[in-house]
């Protein structure tokens, strides 16, 4: 039985989620809705494009469609209006669902076929920009990752996580799936940590765990979580980018004082998404480490020729082997017919080393991706979108800082406005920087490293 159907049937009488409005959903209702979708759409697998928010109708639609065996593309509701037509043209979904407070059918068509039997969930390679390149997952792969997370975090049915991270973001999705694996109840929220409603729900519902990216932990430190958090809180989990060493030390100390578990984790969306975790007892002495592999996952390092690196403290590219690894990428409808192209092996593109105790440390990236407030952002996708809007830009950056670089004659304010309108980036997460001319090689190729060094240091290449 599929993971979504299995969890829904196994915990049918239990409460799955309660949202900000007080509406609730049981596990059993997922199976009821799944049967209704089968009656409406028929037994043949269809591709569904779902614009999702952290609200009960959206969660209900996602899980029931997945439980019914359909392939679901999760998209940010905030980006839907600007990008869904491109997705529809590329992938020709049979069903498109969207809506702010409820779910509306935007379009529906007869089955087109051409979907791999084990295709279950698809996420954008850059959810915050709405990149049309998708990551294909099987239900079995997602189930493996969910159960591994539940194992190393010792999750039980009594957990009450604050589910505030969006589900189209792999970290938010993994919180949902790992707690479904044990029959827990989610406090589903669309509130930010800066809103009163967020804290009211934490207190009223006895929330037991809180998860966030580095940006959230910076805010939680300012807001004095140790004073505002409910007595029921037992666990903090962090992923979505490297947390600064002083922040790790701060939260390790606070957690020791309060009796909380503070767990730093590492992953990639393509891995389904969790790869490693840092046991709480090593948060201080292994500060900066991404930890050790999660259950059922193997981590290794390779050199530039692809040869394994066995020596400690030697940098190489991180490679993982896990049943959670994606089936592969997709850029058109035809790609959705393909099966498993990865064989459970993912070359991550991250550079790392392993210490003598077997703990891994990330040192950099090979690819043109950064993390903004925990969301993976493709620099190429940002460039592509802005160029489509007639703005000639070059994008560079590092985690939590995006530079949109323009040449002297370009209107900086127009580029800034276009960026705010086209993406969900907070205004302070990016900077429009000017240079006299983009640095290029003799062949005309843009030198991104030189450009990043120049704008980050305030010089002109």
């Amino acid at each position: 039985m599929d993971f979504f159907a299995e969890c829904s049937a196994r915990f049918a009488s239990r409460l799955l989620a309660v949202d900000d409005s007080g509406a609730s959903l049981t596990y059993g209702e997922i199976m009821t809705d799944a049967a209704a979708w089968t009656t409406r759409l028929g037994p043949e697998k269809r591709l569904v494009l779902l614009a999702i928010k952290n609200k009960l109708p959206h969660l209900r639609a996602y899980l029931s469609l997945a439980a019914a065996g359909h392939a679901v593309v999760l998209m940010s509701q905030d980006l839907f209006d600007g990008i869904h037509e491109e997705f529809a043209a590329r992938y020709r979904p049979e069903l498109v669902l969207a809506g702010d407070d409820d779910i509306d059918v935007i379009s529906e068509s007869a089955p087109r076929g051409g979907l791999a039997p084990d295709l279950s969930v698809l996420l954008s390679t850059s959810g915050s920009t709405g990149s049309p390149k998708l990551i294909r997952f099987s239900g079995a792969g997602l189930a493996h990752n969910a159960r591994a997370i539940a194992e190393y975090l010792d999750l039980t049915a009594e957990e009450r996580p604050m589910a505030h991270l969006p589900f189209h973001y792999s970290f938010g999705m993994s919180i949902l799936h790992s707690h479904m694996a044990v029959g827990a109840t989610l406090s589903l929220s669309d509130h930010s940590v800066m809103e009163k409603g967020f804290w009211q729900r934490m207190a009223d519902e006895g929330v037991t765990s809180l998860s966030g990216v580095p940006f959230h932990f910076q805010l939680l430190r300012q807001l004095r979580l140790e004073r505002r958090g409910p007595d029921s809180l037992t666990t903090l989990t962090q992923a979505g980018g490297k947390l600064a060493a002083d922040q790790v030390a701060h939260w390790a100390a606070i957690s020791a004082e309060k009796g909380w578990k503070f767990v730093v984790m590492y992953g990639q969306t393509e891995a389904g998404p969790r790869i490693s975790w840092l046991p709480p007892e090593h948060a201080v002495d292994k500060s900066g480490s991404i930890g050790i592999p999660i259950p059922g996952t193997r981590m290794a390092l390779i050199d530039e020729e692809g040869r394994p690196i066995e020596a400690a403290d030697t940098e190489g590219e991180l490679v993982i082997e896990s049943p959670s690894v994606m089936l592969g990428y997709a850029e058109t409808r035809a790609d959705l017919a393909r099966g498993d192209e990865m064989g459970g092996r993912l070359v991550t593109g991250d550079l790392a080393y392993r210490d003598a105790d077997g703990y891994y440390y990330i040192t950099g990236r090979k690819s043109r991706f950064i993390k903004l407030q925990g969301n993976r952002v493709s620099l190429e996708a940002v460039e592509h979108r802005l160029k489509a809007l007639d703005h000639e830009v070059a994008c560079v950056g590092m985690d939590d800082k995006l530079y949109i670089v323009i040449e002297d004659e370009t209107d900086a304010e127009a580029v800034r406005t276009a960026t705010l309108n086209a993406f969900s980036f907070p205004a302070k997460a990016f900077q429009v920087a000017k240079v006299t001319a983009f640095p290029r090689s003799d062949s005309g190729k843009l030198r991104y490293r030189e450009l990043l060094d120049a704008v980050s240091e305030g010089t002109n290449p």
Side-chain angles (χ1 to χ4, degrees):
M1 184 182 290
D2 175 84
F3 172 73
F4 300 98
E6 178 188 341
C7 294
S8 300
R10 181 182 176 191
F11 304 112
S13 63
R14 292 190 60 83
L15 197 62
L16 169 59
V18 179
D19 72 5
D20 292 325
S21 72
S24 61
L25 175 69
T26 67
Y27 282 83
E29 287 175 299
I30 297 301
M31 290 310 296
T32 301
D33 282 9
W37 282 118
T38 298
T39 299
R40 174 174 177 170
L41 301 176
E44 187 172 349
K45 183 187 288 287
R46 299 198 192 194
L47 182 67
V48 182
L49 178 60
L50 172 61
I52 196 164
K53 298 188 74 169
N54 281 37
K55 295 186 178 182
L56 217 57
H58 301 71
L59 176 63
R60 188 169 187 158
Y62 164 43
L63 296 178
S64 60
L65 283 160
H70 298 294
V72 186
V73 182
L74 297 181
M75 174 186 291
S76 166
Q77 175 68 53
D78 294 335
L79 295 175
F80 177 78
D81 289 341
I83 64 176
H84 85 274
E85 289 184 357
E86 181 179 0
F87 272 74
R90 281 175 177 257
Y91 296 106
R92 295 182 294 137
E94 287 92 337
L95 187 64
V96 178
L97 303 175
D100 284 327
D101 294 318
D102 209 340
I103 287 292
D104 299 315
V105 176
I106 307 302
S107 66
E108 183 178 348
S109 62
R112 304 180 195 276
L115 301 176
D118 54 351
L119 183 64
S120 179
V121 178
L122 302 101
L123 299 181
S124 168
T125 55
S126 181
S128 58
T129 64
S131 169
K133 186 176 182 180
L134 297 178
I135 300 169
R136 301 180 287 119
F137 291 109
S138 69
L142 294 174
H144 179 273
N145 206 254
R147 292 180 177 125
I149 296 169
E151 180 180 339
Y152 71 75
L153 289 180
D154 295 320
L155 300 182
T156 71
E158 305 311 310
E159 300 293 335
R160 187 74 181 232
M162 191 68 175
H164 67 107
L165 298 175
F167 298 130
H168 66 269
Y169 172 39
S170 61
F171 189 9
M173 181 185 72
S174 71
I175 291 168
L176 167 64
H177 293 171
S178 59
H179 286 86
M180 284 182 65
V182 296
T185 302
L186 287 81
S187 290
L188 178 63
S189 184
D190 210 25
H191 290 308
S192 78
V193 298
M194 300 298 292
E195 295 179 297
K196 181 179 179 181
F198 182 95
W199 298 97
Q200 192 65 55
R201 292 202 62 201
M202 288 264 291
D204 291 348
E205 297 173 17
V207 163
T208 59
S209 64
L210 182 59
S211 301
V213 302
F215 171 72
H216 290 124
F217 279 91
Q218 293 168 15
L219 292 179
L220 291 171
R221 184 172 182 175
Q222 296 170 15
L223 293 168
R224 304 296 295 273
L225 171 63
E226 65 273 19
R227 294 185 179 180
R228 302 185 66 167
D231 293 339
S232 57
L233 191 62
T234 62
T235 305
L236 304 178
T237 64
Q238 182 269 318
K242 185 175 181 179
L243 191 63
D246 68 306
Q247 291 279 9
V248 172
H250 171 82
W251 290 111
I254 292 295
S255 296
E257 178 185 326
K258 300 288 291 187
W260 298 338
K261 287 192 299 185
F262 172 55
V263 185
V264 173
M265 305 184 297
Y266 161 78
Q268 287 196 358
T269 301
E270 288 88 341
R274 297 276 70 80
I275 293 173
S276 68
W277 70 297
L278 183 62
E281 63 269 24
H282 291 297
V284 175
D285 68 298
K286 297 291 187 182
S287 178
S289 172
I290 60 170
I292 56 178
I294 69 172
T297 292
R298 178 179 177 271
M299 299 169 67
L301 299 171
I302 57 173
D303 63 18
E304 292 182 354
E305 275 71 50
R307 297 171 301 200
I309 295 173
E310 304 296 343
D313 302 320
T314 303
E315 185 182 77
E317 187 169 6
L318 182 62
V319 177
I320 70 160
E321 295 178 0
S322 168
S324 303
V325 170
M326 65 175 179
L327 300 172
Y329 293 110
E331 296 189 75
T332 67
R333 174 81 183 207
D335 296 335
L336 304 185
R338 303 205 305 260
D340 183 4
E341 299 178 310
M342 305 298 291
R345 184 175 187 268
L346 179 68
V347 180
T348 66
D350 282 337
L351 301 175
Y353 69 90
R354 179 182 54 244
D355 71 13
D357 297 321
Y359 283 72
Y360 286 79
Y361 295 76
I362 297 294
T363 57
R365 283 199 185 99
K366 292 180 69 175
S367 59
R368 296 194 66 233
F369 285 90
I370 62 171
K371 293 283 185 75
L372 284 185
Q373 298 188 356
N375 295 298
R376 189 166 102 158
V377 173
S378 164
L379 297 175
E380 288 184 2
V382 177
E383 282 184 7
H384 176 77
R385 180 77 63 78
L386 290 175
K387 287 178 180 178
L389 296 172
D390 295 325
H391 297 293
E392 189 61 35
V393 303
C395 294
V396 293
M398 57 198 79
D399 284 356
D400 285 328
K401 191 63 178 182
L402 166 64
Y403 294 98
I404 299 173
V405 189
I406 58 178
E407 294 179 318
D408 276 342
E409 300 304 315
T410 306
D411 185 340
E413 190 55 39
V415 171
R416 180 176 178 79
T417 299
T419 304
L420 289 170
N421 290 337
F423 305 104
S424 56
F425 305 148
K428 64 181 180 181
F430 73 92
Q431 176 183 332
V432 178
K434 278 194 174 186
V435 296
T436 302
F438 296 145
R440 297 184 182 276
S441 66
D442 291 342
S443 63
K445 187 175 181 179
L446 204 151
R447 291 192 174 111
Y448 285 105
R449 170 51 62 183
E450 184 178 335
L451 187 61
L452 175 60
D453 291 343
V455 296
S456 61
E457 294 169 5
T459 61
N460 207 332

